[in-house]
Amino acid sequence: MSKQSTETMLKFIGIDGEMPAKRDAKIRAEDFGEIYADYIKSKAKEQSSRCSQCGVPFCQSGCPLQNNIPDWLYLSAEGRLKEAYQLSAQTNSMPEICGRICPQDRLCEGACVIEKSGHGSVTIGAIEKTLTDNAWENGWVAPLKPVSERGLSVGIIGAGPAGLAAAEALREQGWQVSVYDRHDRAGGLLMYGIPNFKLDKKIVERRIDHLKDGGVEFVLNTNVGTDISFNELRKKHAAILVATGVYKSRALQVPGCGVEGVIEALPYLTNSNKLGLGDKVKMDTAQDKHVVVIGGGDTAMDCVRTAVRQKAKSVTCLYRRDQANMPGSARETQNAMDEGVNFEWLAAPQSIHDKDGQVTKVRAVRMRLGLPDRSGRQIVTPIKDAEFDVKADMVIQALGFTPENMGGLNSDLRLTDYGTIKAHPTKFETNVPGVYAAGDIVRGASLVVWAIREGRDAAAAMHQYLIEQTTQIAAE
Ligand SMILES: Cc1cc2nc3c(=O)[nH]c(=O)nc-3n(C[C@H](O)[C@H](O)[C@H](O)COP(=O)(O)OP(=O)(O)OC[C@H]3O[C@@H](n4cnc5c(N)ncnc54)[C@H](O)[C@@H]3O)c2cc1C
Ligand code: SF4
């Protein structure tokens, strides 16, 4: 490391890690606005200077996109904000989105060396978000301009982060790109799953407009397999990317779960987001209700916090393992606790009870953590005679998602035992030539940053395929 960079960096001993200011829990629970403020520029610079510039940057390995974090932290600490943004944008199609919603505690920041030595991680995500928001504000985000126009076209099924990342990369190379989605808006779960208080929808719309301005065509309200067949798309485009995500909800399997008031998480969150976008939606909100959410992942946290904002009388989360074993982001769980959510850890639902067909309570049982199973996760067993009741007018099932039946889309696609699409691990080609797949439909329910990574990798392989097709056509 040069003397100059030693002077700029390694400030972690004298400067504490500091996240951007969070709005007061009571105030933010009154609305759906994002909860973190931006860093002021001097704070982003100061926080970047805490990086220890280690020889082996574990943060980079912890980031699914292998972002060159130490270098853009250095540029940011030097006040070279435009260059810092440009470097971060080289590996990430949506840095401002990842900076907001990656579970950094499990990824880049969890791997940060100064975190391991007890100084508290560099606030990588918050800096990445600030750099990119600042770049948008200053007009530094370059318009999407293809290197040259090429004749062949690509059809992308699914306008979630995997599809959008691939669309951008392919359009940059000059291919004609059409993105099909069954929803009325693009964005996938960025638009209709993740609530506004984590990711403002204007941020997603800005990215989509950027693609539209660069010539990407969006064909919305189009369910591929129903409104247009896969084979028709195949004939229309030289290559196809399937980026359809996973949408089949895991259902609660206890007596009584068919009664009124027991609902699925995703339609609940989708409708809430639609309301926030100004759409006219008929939905049962949580207002004045005792709400019980079952599950411990990101979806469960989004449901409890949405219910708080809809002015529920009480919100309780039931999760069968303990807090340390929750699959969602620890930060989001803390945010939910601060906003008044009551957590019942080591508790599993046993039965749902009703009056005249309307849910009235959930009977739950205390669980005990046991030895790890073959996958390494501790097994849980119910404790005898440890039942308790939780009052409920609304029960939200947030137990995760599995793939829908892909046979309806194309029966030739080879699937895994879990129903996800089998694809090459780095090129993402399926068993059908010219058909690629990426994101949750390959990996199973995962993260936005992984969807972006796979969308980018699939696009790189599709680009090569399309070049070969072009050469073949020219030779014919
Ligand atoms: C409630 C919730 C909260 C989450 N929070 C976080 C978080 O905080 N951080 C994080 O990193 N990850 C989070 N995730 C996970 C993340 O959203 C997903 O991993 C990511 O969106 C997957 O991207 P994708 O592009 O593969 O699929 P999706 O985002 O699911 O997009 C798929 C798109 O395909 C469309 N589609 C499906 N079938 C068809 C068809 N036949 N024809 C046309 N269109 C079709 C869908 O309408 C959808 O728009 C969350 C997930 C949920 C459900
Ligand atoms: S993309 Fe996500 S994991 Fe990678 S540096 Fe940004 S916040 Fe961290």
Side-chain angles (χ1 to χ4, degrees):
M1 201 188 311
S2 69
K3 183 166 177 289
Q4 187 196 14
S5 62
T6 321
E7 277 164 15
T8 311
M9 307 301 284
L10 280 89
K11 297 283 174 24
F12 61 91
I13 295 177
I15 300 173
D16 287 338
E18 206 182 307
M19 281 291 285
K22 229 193 272 189
R23 292 199 289 140
D24 179 82
K26 276 211 180 90
I27 295 170
R28 70 185 194 236
E30 295 288 317
D31 63 53
F32 281 79
E34 286 191 357
I35 72 165
Y36 291 101
D38 273 341
Y39 275 137
I40 48 168
K41 271 181 207 149
S42 55
K43 187 57 88 179
K45 195 174 163 193
E46 175 200 275
Q47 289 293 309
S48 302
S49 74
R50 295 182 67 246
C51 171
S52 66
Q53 299 282 287
C54 14
V56 181
F58 289 100
C59 54
Q60 187 167 8
S61 321
C63 167
L65 290 161
Q66 313 272 274
N67 279 346
N68 189 349
I69 300 162
D71 283 2
W72 50 254
L73 287 176
Y74 171 63
L75 290 168
S76 163
E78 289 259 295
R80 292 155 67 185
L81 298 185
K82 185 172 182 183
E83 290 161 86
Y85 153 72
Q86 284 169 335
L87 190 60
S88 92
Q90 274 178 20
T91 47
N92 193 348
S93 322
M94 310 169 199
E96 74 284 27
I97 292 181
C98 291
R100 281 173 166 84
I101 57 162
C102 274
Q104 287 102 9
D105 44 354
R106 286 193 273 136
L107 302 170
C108 53
E109 294 179 18
C112 171
V113 166
I114 63 170
E115 164 78 19
K116 303 272 179 229
S117 63
H119 291 280
S121 164
V122 177
T123 49
I124 299 167
I127 297 167
E128 189 179 27
K129 161 189 179 279
T130 305
L131 287 176
T132 317
D133 283 348
N134 183 53
W136 279 107
E137 275 159 32
N138 283 289
W140 298 339
V141 178
L144 172 57
K145 269 204 194 119
V147 280
S148 62
E149 290 295 344
R150 302 183 199 251
L152 296 185
S153 77
V154 180
I156 296 178
I157 313 172
L164 297 179
E168 181 176 53
L170 286 161
R171 186 67 196 125
E172 255 167 13
Q173 296 291 348
W175 306 108
Q176 310 307 310
V177 180
S178 302
V179 185
Y180 300 82
D181 203 288
R182 60 188 174 190
H183 275 306
D184 55 348
R185 288 185 178 90
L189 290 172
L190 299 176
M191 182 61 77
Y192 281 149
I194 299 170
N196 212 67
F197 51 80
K198 275 165 61 183
L199 174 63
D200 194 304
K201 299 307 150 215
K202 286 198 185 71
I203 307 290
V204 184
E205 284 168 345
R206 187 170 61 185
R207 275 284 158 199
I208 292 158
D209 288 345
H210 176 71
L211 297 184
K212 280 186 191 160
D213 293 346
V216 173
E217 182 198 24
F218 284 91
V219 187
L220 300 175
N221 295 308
T222 305
N223 195 332
V224 178
T226 311
D227 298 319
I228 181 168
S229 75
F230 189 87
N231 285 342
E232 273 174 82
L233 276 199
R234 192 75 192 89
K235 279 187 205 138
K236 218 167 157 188
H237 301 290
I240 299 284
L241 176 70
V242 184
T244 47
V246 288
Y247 282 91
K248 194 170 151 204
S249 300
R250 282 205 186 94
L252 196 58
Q253 307 276 356
V254 297
C257 55
V259 301
E260 195 73 21
V262 180
I263 61 170
E264 287 178 9
L266 200 52
Y268 172 70
L269 292 173
T270 303
N271 282 333
S272 171
N273 275 330
K274 286 192 172 189
L275 279 180
L277 284 156
D279 293 357
K280 284 206 175 80
V281 178
K282 257 191 168 178
M283 82 172 285
D284 284 337
T285 76
Q287 189 167 6
D288 296 331
K289 290 181 183 155
H290 294 287
V291 177
V292 175
V293 176
I294 299 168
D298 283 328
T299 307
M301 290 313 99
D302 291 349
C303 289
V304 290
R305 296 177 69 202
T306 298
V308 166
R309 284 161 174 77
Q310 289 181 344
K311 306 204 180 341
K313 263 192 202 150
S314 70
V315 184
T316 304
C317 177
L318 290 185
Y319 179 56
R320 63 196 182 130
R321 292 191 162 81
D322 60 358
Q323 184 177 3
N325 280 291
M326 283 182 82
S329 155
R331 239 175 230 167
E332 298 304 330
T333 307
Q334 188 58 52
N335 287 335
M337 287 165 80
D338 296 346
E339 288 164 13
V341 175
N342 167 41
F343 281 86
E344 294 285 356
W345 284 294
L346 290 165
Q350 238 187 8
S351 52
I352 307 272
H353 299 258
D354 69 290
K355 184 164 186 266
D356 302 329
Q358 165 65 44
V359 63
T360 52
K361 69 180 179 192
V362 177
R363 177 153 300 161
V365 61
R366 297 275 168 217
M367 307 296 279
R368 178 185 293 120
L369 279 173
L371 291 171
D373 63 12
R374 261 199 259 170
S375 74
R377 282 201 95 187
Q378 281 177 283
I379 49 164
V380 276
T381 45
I383 300 174
K384 196 164 174 279
D385 297 331
E387 288 88 5
F388 64 102
D389 290 343
V390 188
K391 207 170 176 181
D393 308 306
M394 180 186 251
V395 175
I396 307 178
Q397 310 167 73
L399 300 164
F401 302 93
T402 55
E404 293 165 292
N405 177 14
M406 278 293 114
L409 193 69
N410 182 323
S411 55
D412 295 334
L413 284 173
R414 199 170 296 147
L415 304 179
T416 66
D417 293 344
Y418 304 103
T420 47
I421 296 177
K422 253 192 187 165
H424 186 280
T426 55
K427 295 184 183 146
F428 295 96
E429 188 165 24
T430 68
N431 60 305
V432 183
V435 178
Y436 294 73
D440 279 4
I441 192 56
V442 173
R443 175 174 278 275
S446 180
L447 294 173
V448 168
V449 65
W450 276 113
I452 295 173
R453 169 70 198 263
E454 294 190 359
R456 290 170 67 100
D457 286 354
M462 290 171 85
H463 172 63
Q464 284 311 318
Y465 173 84
L466 292 165
I467 296 268
E468 283 159 27
Q469 296 299 301
T470 312
T471 318
Q472 245 179 47
I473 294 166
E476 278 166 12

